[in-house]
Amino acid sequence: MLNTAAMTATSAGNFEAVRGDPDRWGRLVESAVGAHLLNAARTGPFEVFYWREGKSEVDFVIRRGKDTVAIEVKGGLKAGRLSGLTAFAREHKPVRTLMVGGGGIPLGEFLLAPPAGWFG
């Protein structure tokens, strides 16, 4: 979804209720990151993908030419499993791997940064 307002405008509960539900919060955070990346890709010099191989997955992969950046989104306070990010890095050698939330880059900081800047 390119605008997360449509997700929240029709959902029941206030911010505290959504924040207190890890599944709903995780979907909202992941959607916000995806909307940020896709909106930037419309005018930016990169493409956005999802990667999955077997049971391993990465939430978002952005590609500019031959360079890739792998992005895993964690809505909770703890990182949890990062096996997909590790598998992707081993196989595709991205220029950078990022974890948004879960003790990695804070969501607000990520959303304020132009995604093309993550290529270094």
Side-chain angles (χ1 to χ4, degrees), residues 39-52:
N39 282 319
R42 294 175 74 189
T43 58
F46 64 89
E47 301 171 278
V48 180
F49 300 93
Y50 164 83
W51 179 81
R52 182 181 183 108

Side-chain angles (χ1 to χ4, degrees), residues 109-120:
E109 182 180 320
F110 182 83
L111 295 176
L112 288 173
W118 297 116
F119 287 98

Side-chain angles (χ1 to χ4, degrees), residues 16-62:
E16 289 77 20
V18 173
R19 185 68 177 98
D21 181 339
D23 290 335
R24 285 175 66 191
W25 182 252
R27 283 190 299 275
L28 184 60
V29 169
E30 192 170 311
S31 294
V33 169
H36 177 62
L37 294 171
L38 290 169
N39 282 319
R42 294 175 74 189
T43 58
F46 64 89
E47 301 171 278
V48 180
F49 300 93
Y50 164 83
W51 179 81
R52 182 181 183 108
E53 188 170 297
K55 292 184 179 185
S56 297
E57 65 179 343
V58 172
D59 294 323
F60 301 100
V61 176
I62 55 176

